[in-house]
Amino acid sequence: MNYSLHNTVLFVENLSVAYDDRVVIKNINFEEKNVVIDGRTTGQTIAIVGRSGRGKSTLFKALTGLVQPTAGSVLIADTTRSDINAAKAVKEGDVGFVDQKYTLFRNKTISQTFEFALRHKNMSKAEKNDLIKTYLDSWGLEKFKDQYPCELSGGQRQRTAIIEQILSSGHYMVLDEPFSGLDVGNIESVKKSFRLITTQHDLNTVIFSTHDIELAVELADSIYVIGYPTLNGNIADYGTIVKHIDLKKMGLAWSEFDSQHLQLVKEIKEAMLQS
Amino acid sequence: MKKFFTPFEKLSTAQLAVINGSWVAALFLFWYIFGMASDTHLFPTLGQVWEGFLGLYNEGLVVHVFSSVWLCLRAIFISIFISLFISYLSPIPLLQFVSKTVSKLRYLPLTGITFYLAMMINSGRTMQIWVLVIFMSTYLTTSLIGMIKDIPQEEFDHARTLKCNRWEVLLQVVILGRVDYVLEIIRQNLAIVWMMLVTVESILVASGGLGFLIKNSDKFMNHGRIVALQLVILACGLLIDFALVKTRTVLFRYSKI
Ligand SMILES: Nc1ncnc2c1ncn2[C@@H]1O[C@H](COP(=O)(O)OP(=O)(O)OP(=O)(O)O)[C@@H](O)[C@H]1O
Ligand SMILES: [Mg+2]
């Protein structure tokens, strides 16, 4: 598919995060540009993979502005300015985030949660209700709309957390392991929601982590492997990006999963095992 | 039968009823035998307790109970108000010192406080309330600060990603998100107030109250009366406790603490 790259949507420069002196991730650099395909709206789908404890969640907290990096910066497109290349440092609230534990407000039912997520949106009450209804129906939550998080199953909580962020966030959305613990049907609805987000606006960018490499290869157009780098024959004890795969360049993005994808899965797993 | 002795074994409601019933029966049996056997009558018999209870009832026990409960409620109300104010502001760096200090004040001795209060307040009843309020506030503040500390970071982060500014985070996560905990904290500290209340009432004697009754019974060395009164006080405390749990679970369906 013919595509072109425009302005930068995400720029991570020399990023390091430490928790009380312990460096968890270091020297993370990457840049993602707005992918443009003529005749259709295409957002960006970025996957972060890596073995447990390598710092995926930590990277996400920095990307969402929830933790202050010890060094470096995260820049996102500033859509409030007319200049197409305007960028700004990310701060809390700019980027939607579904955390690994699907945290929700314990004292809000699903409906109340969604209403809260929409509170800043410029829509009439009726429009908001319609939108909420649509999501409840298509994600199979209609029956549970008046239940509290403690009365929901893990998968229902997760879907609520995802929709909540879709409703509230702007162009950016980070999801930490959105596929873990879901049944086949739920996985399809999360996949569908990714497609929905990325076809709504050119700038929309979904960043997710997963331990399911097949899924990452199937969905993403750009994959980063985060792991411990090997320096002078020694394995370091902080995470950084050890491999980047641009599926667009390889011609594997936005296409059916085939043998080439499978080959890529093997390659990524190899890289993960070595870091 | 072996199940009765197995740790973490779940028994049916009927089985539990049998076990608990036997305990209560054993308790009364023990009391009965002990009361019979001891000639010193150090411990009153059931009959003596019943007599004591009737005596108390005729002297207006109900009025005294209400007087104490009312005092207790007023003290709780004022002190929870103070403690909530102090602890809700504790996440603000500038004010952290205040909440921590108030919490530490619970190690102050009671006598010193009453001395200063006595110089400022002359009504016995008001004095009792303020002694309780000062005490309660320190304990409640301690528990409330602990409650805020125990909120997982993810809950704050979750609110922040939903475009809540820091004040909204405080409102949504701490204040609204934990109302039910406040009731639970009151309940957990209730035992201290209730115990303190009776003591305070018997030290700073004003008109009536359960503490006043205890003090009077002491004078006459009337064992039956004292035990009856103890039981009444225990029952009142348990009743308020129960009411608080019920209120919490009815008002807040999600409250599974
Ligand atoms: N709040 C924290 N304080 C101190 N250390 C932390 C904290 N959070 C994470 N870490 C450490 O940082 C490292 C990376 O953790 P992180 O949660 O980012 O890993 P991850 O790649 O998301 O792992 P997983 O796939 O298991 O979720 C771990 O070694 C962890 O012990
Ligand atoms: Mg993680």
Side-chain angles (χ1 to χ4, degrees):
Chain A
M1 199 166 309
N2 276 327
Y3 68 95
S4 56
L5 297 175
H6 288 215
N7 56 308
T8 300
V9 290
L10 179 64
F11 188 71
V12 178
E13 190 186 21
N14 193 26
L15 183 77
S16 300
V17 176
Y19 291 115
D20 325 300
D21 294 345
R22 204 192 131 218
V23 178
V24 174
I25 50 174
K26 195 164 141 183
N27 292 334
I28 294 200
N29 291 287
F30 65 91
E31 179 174 10
E32 285 293 331
K33 287 179 184 282
N34 183 7
V35 180
V36 176
I37 297 175
D38 281 337
R40 76 176 219 199
T41 313
T42 331
Q44 296 64 239
T45 312
I46 303 159
I48 309 276
V49 298
R51 297 182 58 194
S52 177
R54 299 307 194 261
K56 297 182 295 297
S57 302
T58 306
L59 171 64
F60 283 178
K61 283 198 188 125
L63 290 182
T64 49
L66 292 174
V67 297
Q68 282 305 314
T70 34
S73 56
V74 175
L75 301 178
I76 57 172
D78 186 352
T79 49
T80 58
R81 304 227 302 263
S82 53
D83 173 10
I84 186 99
N85 286 315
K88 62 169 187 177
V90 74
K91 57 175 195 348
E92 60 190 59
D94 288 340
V95 176
F97 181 43
V98 178
D99 74 36
Q100 222 170 335
K101 294 180 190 156
Y102 334 130
T103 311
L104 292 165
F105 290 115
R106 62 188 286 277
N107 57 327
K108 292 194 196 319
T109 62
I110 296 187
S111 302
Q112 291 166 342
T113 299
F114 294 166
E115 278 159 29
F116 187 79
L118 284 173
R119 72 198 187 287
H120 290 317
K121 291 273 146 90
N122 223 338
M123 302 158 88
S124 73
K125 182 94 183 116
E127 283 172 329
K128 285 182 185 179
N129 285 342
D130 281 348
L131 186 61
I132 291 174
K133 179 104 186 36
T134 319
Y135 273 103
L136 286 173
D137 283 339
S138 58
W139 288 64
L141 291 170
E142 173 63 31
K143 263 194 282 178
F144 313 100
K145 67 179 198 306
D146 293 320
Q147 297 193 7
Y148 290 102
C150 66
E151 300 164 334
L152 299 173
S153 79
Q156 291 163 347
R157 265 208 298 280
Q158 180 168 15
R159 279 174 280 155
T160 309
I162 294 174
I163 301 170
E164 176 189 43
Q165 294 291 345
I166 293 176
L167 294 176
S168 142
S169 71
H171 295 303
Y172 296 87
M173 173 96 151
V174 171
L175 304 100
D176 201 354
E177 297 189 19
F179 296 105
S180 68
L182 292 186
D183 70 29
V184 281
N186 300 151
I187 289 181
E188 281 313 312
S189 58
V190 176
K191 279 194 206 169
K192 215 163 69 194
S193 72
F194 279 22
R195 242 165 270 141
L196 207 70
I197 298 172
T198 52
T199 52
Q200 265 167 3
H201 196 286
D202 252 330
L203 284 179
N204 282 2
T205 305
V206 173
I207 305 165
F208 70 102
S209 71
T210 180
H211 288 293
D212 186 334
I213 313 304
E214 280 83 359
L215 217 49
V217 169
E218 179 188 341
L219 295 172
D221 46 68
S222 180
I223 299 178
Y224 293 91
V225 180
I226 185 165
Y228 297 153
T230 308
L231 303 170
N232 313 322
N234 296 321
I235 290 188
D237 63 351
Y238 59 81
T240 194
I241 289 175
V242 293
K243 191 179 175 74
H244 173 216
I245 299 112
D246 187 344
L247 286 91
K248 302 181 287 288
K249 221 187 260 171
M250 299 169 75
L252 297 180
W254 317 294
S255 61
E256 282 297 312
F257 197 92
D258 63 17
S259 59
Q260 271 179 294
H261 290 89
L262 209 57
Q263 183 55 37
L264 190 56
V265 170
K266 269 195 200 136
E267 232 176 83
I268 293 173
K269 285 186 177 167
E270 198 58 39
M272 285 169 66
L273 282 173
Q274 279 162 16
S275 60
Chain B
M1 201 56 185
K2 190 169 154 241
K3 270 167 108 186
F4 285 17
F5 297 94
T6 314
F8 306 112
E9 189 65 40
K10 295 249 184 316
L11 298 183
S12 72
T13 333
Q15 282 170 319
L16 281 176
V18 170
I19 296 179
N20 294 340
S22 319
W23 274 107
V24 174
L27 209 63
F28 276 97
L29 191 69
F30 179 73
W31 186 354
Y32 181 74
I33 296 169
F34 192 70
M36 285 273 121
S38 86
D39 342 310
T40 52
H41 289 292
L42 203 62
F43 205 72
T45 60
L46 280 169
Q48 286 172 315
V49 173
W50 180 242
E51 257 169 52
F53 178 77
L54 288 181
L56 285 166
Y57 186 79
N58 291 331
E59 286 166 39
L61 175 68
V62 180
V63 178
H64 287 292
V65 166
F66 274 105
S67 151
S68 283
V69 170
W70 178 232
L71 179 71
C72 180
L73 289 182
R74 273 192 294 174
I76 287 182
F77 191 78
I78 301 173
S79 44
I80 194 68
F81 193 78
I82 296 173
S83 312
L84 282 176
F85 186 74
I86 293 172
S87 31
Y88 282 161
L89 293 180
S90 70
I92 301 169
L94 184 72
L95 301 177
Q96 231 169 50
F97 178 83
V98 180
S99 54
K100 280 199 178 139
T101 309
V102 170
S103 156
K104 297 268 176 335
L105 287 182
R106 67 191 188 281
Y107 289 106
L108 270 187
L110 178 66
T111 22
I113 296 174
T114 48
F115 174 74
Y116 278 100
L117 276 177
M119 296 201 299
M120 294 187 288
I121 301 167
N122 30 34
S123 145
R125 218 51 181 157
T126 319
M127 171 97 178
Q128 289 175 345
I129 290 187
W130 283 100
V131 170
L132 285 175
V133 165
I134 290 174
F135 255 80
M136 264 297 259
S137 304
T138 62
Y139 281 95
L140 287 173
T141 306
T142 309
S143 303
L144 287 168
I145 298 175
M147 166 195 91
I148 297 173
K149 265 228 179 77
D150 283 344
I151 299 177
Q153 184 60 38
E154 287 89 22
E155 289 193 38
F156 295 114
D157 286 349
H158 168 248
R160 289 162 72 197
T161 57
L162 288 170
K163 304 192 195 314
C164 288
N165 65 37
R166 297 295 174 86
W167 290 100
E168 279 179 291
V169 172
L170 181 66
L171 174 69
Q172 293 295 337
V173 180
V174 179
I175 302 181
L176 298 178
R178 290 287 187 284
V179 215
D180 53 324
Y181 275 76
V182 174
L183 276 180
E184 180 61 16
I185 283 173
I186 294 177
R187 190 181 75 83
Q188 279 169 11
N189 287 285
L190 183 79
I192 308 175
V193 208
W194 190 240
M195 184 203 75
M196 283 278 304
L197 170 99
V198 179
T199 315
V200 166
E201 273 183 339
S202 54
I203 299 173
L204 309 162
V205 182
S207 50
L210 290 167
F212 168 81
L213 278 182
I214 279 232
K215 185 102 177 160
N216 267 0
S217 315
D218 265 2
K219 268 190 255 166
F220 306 118
M221 284 289 285
N222 187 336
H223 289 177
R225 230 177 111 101
I226 293 177
V227 172
L229 200 49
Q230 295 280 2
L231 291 178
V232 169
I233 294 172
L234 179 70
C236 288
L238 289 177
L239 212 66
I240 307 180
D241 189 281
F242 176 76
L244 281 170
V245 175
K246 261 277 166 277
T247 316
R248 178 167 61 79
T249 47
V250 168
L251 284 186
F252 311 105
R253 203 175 83 213
Y254 56 84
S255 183
K256 309 224 159 96
I257 302 175

